[in-house]
Structure formats: structure tokens, C-alpha cells
Amino acid sequence: MGKFEGKVAFISGAARGQGRSHAVRFAQEGADVIAFDVCKDISTTGYPLATSADLAETVRLVEQLDRRIVAVKADVRDLPGVQKAFNEGLAQFGRVDFVLCNAGIVSILNDDDPMQAFRDVIDVNLVGVWNTIYAALPTLLDQGEGGSIVITSSAAGLKGIGGPTAGGNAYVSSKHGLVGLMRNLATNYSPLGIRVNTVHPTGVNTPMVINERMAKILAEMPEAIGATSNLMPIEIIEPSDVSDAVVWLCSDAARYITGVALPVDAGCAIK
Ligand SMILES: NC(=O)c1ccc[n+]([C@@H]2O[C@H](COP(=O)([O-])OP(=O)(O)OC[C@H]3O[C@@H](n4cnc5c(N)ncnc54)[C@H](O)[C@@H]3O)[C@@H](O)[C@H]2O)c1
């Protein structure tokens, strides 16, 4: 029997990368999943976001584990859309236990329209996380059984490693902002048993960083490589490394862990 039998996880950005890995890991532990993803590109990112086919693959992987999943196309920037996605899942599963705010973008094609790039990153990475929590929080509160909210920040939420571009400044700002959001939510809701924490990965092997555009930027700005390097002798970690931390944060083993900014970064943040 898994750790999360009978529990439900609400996951943003679940079509691929870390979000998909979380969906599969939580399903392996027995949870049902409410998944959503924008499945559409945002022009200022300069790399493709997930597709409907990616989201369908997450569905297949979860169902293969004999777990249920409701998967919806929705944009974290659109609160009514996020609420609709959440409510579809709630109608199926009747509850929610874990809120994994994972969706995010990095903007590296920002020379064309730096102000738009800045706004897009803040809208997705900060406002989008708030929208995701706002959609699920009333149900967590109504249930009165506690819960766990895990927000995916970044090593860039602990130090300034965004590079000199508008998008880089926005990324570091948004990811630091999430720590403030987490602390305030933890202050208000931990007394009710709803734990709130952030995870701070170093570079993770996903299409966000493993893409043509990023390879070009890193070649042009080698200092960005230095800034993101880790203390431990590893260049990049795997999505499963982050999922393991998120599973732990949601498990009873972490039942008194709240208000914590947890690096999963091979020492990047203190380098
Ligand atoms: N990959 C890294 O090196 C790295 C490092 C530290 C933190 N992070 C963070 O980890 C999280 C997951 O990223 P990933 O590495 O899996 O990258 P990814 O690009 O593979 O996955 C992000 C997912 O979020 C979705 N998404 C983007 N904008 C959205 C929106 N507006 N609404 C709904 N969904 C949206 C994408 O379609 C994609 O499926 C992000 O918050 C990212 O900032 C990534």
C-alpha cells in the first residue's frame, strides 16, 4: 500500500518535465491526480511549452498505474480556467490533499520585447502559483483535515543567478517572491494543519533547459553556466530527484515541516 492511498494531488504544469514526474510518483504512492497544463506556447519564452499530446502521455502513465487522473488544458494565468480544472477533478474525486504548484517558464528570448518577457514570467511563475493555490484552498479549508502545498521555486529563488536580461531578472524575482508567498501562507494556514513549503531545484533535465535556445544562450553567456554550477560534481539533476523531495514533503514523515525553503540543488545555493 502506497503512502498516498485515498489521497488526491492537484498539479500544475503536469504535461511533461517535473510536473509529469510528480504525477507519476504520486500515482505510484496511490494518489489520484488532478492535472492541468497550458499546452500552448508563450512567445517570450523562446522554447516550446508542452502539447496536448504530452498531457495525454501523463494520463497514460498514471492510468497505467491503475490510478485515476483528470487532465485539463488550462493556463495558470487564468483564474477561472484554473478553478474549472480544479472543480472538474473535485467532482470526480471529491477531495484534495496536496497542491503542487509546479508550472513555470523561463524567458530567454527577451531582446525583442523585454517588458513583455518580464510580465509573462511574473504572471506565470508568481500570479499563476497564487491562482493555483486560490483555486484549491477553499476545499482544503472546508475539509478541515490539513494538507500540503508544495511550491516549486528554484535555486534562483535563493540567489541571483538569472543573468542580465529582463527575463532573467523576472525569473529570479518571481522565484524569490514565491518564498514570501510560501511564508505568509504557512503563517496563516499551518495552525489549521495545512503545511506550505517551497522546493528549490538546481538545473533539472527537462525541456525548459534542454532546448536549442538555451544551448545558444549558454554558449553566448558562459557566465550563466558558472552561476548555475553546483558544489556536488553533477551538472544537472533529474525530475525524479525533485519528485522524491515533494513526496517527502507531502508525507507523514514531514508532518511537522512547514514554512521551509528546501534546496534540491547539489549545493548550488551556497556556492
Ligand atoms: N528545469 C530546470 O532547470 C528548473 C530548475 C529550477 C526550477 N525549475 C522550475 O521547475 C518547474 C517545472 O519546470 P520543468 O523543469 O519541468 O520545465 P518544463 O518546461 O518541462 O515544464 C513546465 C510545464 O509547465 C507548463 N506551463 C508553462 N506555462 C504554463 C501556464 N501558463 N499554465 C499552465 N502550465 C504552464 C509547461 O507547458 C510545461 O508542461 C518550473 O516552475 C521551473 O521554473 C526548473
Side-chain angles (χ1 to χ4, degrees), residues 77-126:
R77 294 171 294 181
D78 168 31
L79 178 61
V82 177
Q83 288 172 316
K84 191 163 175 282
F86 177 75
N87 288 333
E88 269 187 49
L90 188 63
Q92 289 280 319
F93 306 140
R95 63 177 297 109
V96 70
D97 299 278
F98 311 125
V99 181
L100 311 185
C101 305
N102 161 81
I105 57 169
V106 63
S107 177
I108 46 186
L109 183 76
N110 49 26
D111 293 340
D112 297 344
D113 195 345
M115 294 321 297
Q116 191 58 47
F118 195 95
R119 278 193 212 99
D120 286 346
V121 171
I122 298 292
D123 278 353
V124 173
N125 291 9
L126 189 54

Side-chain angles (χ1 to χ4, degrees), residues 16 18 37-38 50 75-76 102 153 171 175 201-202 204 206 208:
R16 72 177 192 197
Q18 295 174 59
D37 200 291
V38 67
D75 188 328
V76 285
N102 161 81
S153 175
Y171 192 76
K175 295 300 190 182
T202 184
V204 187
T206 71
M208 173 180 278

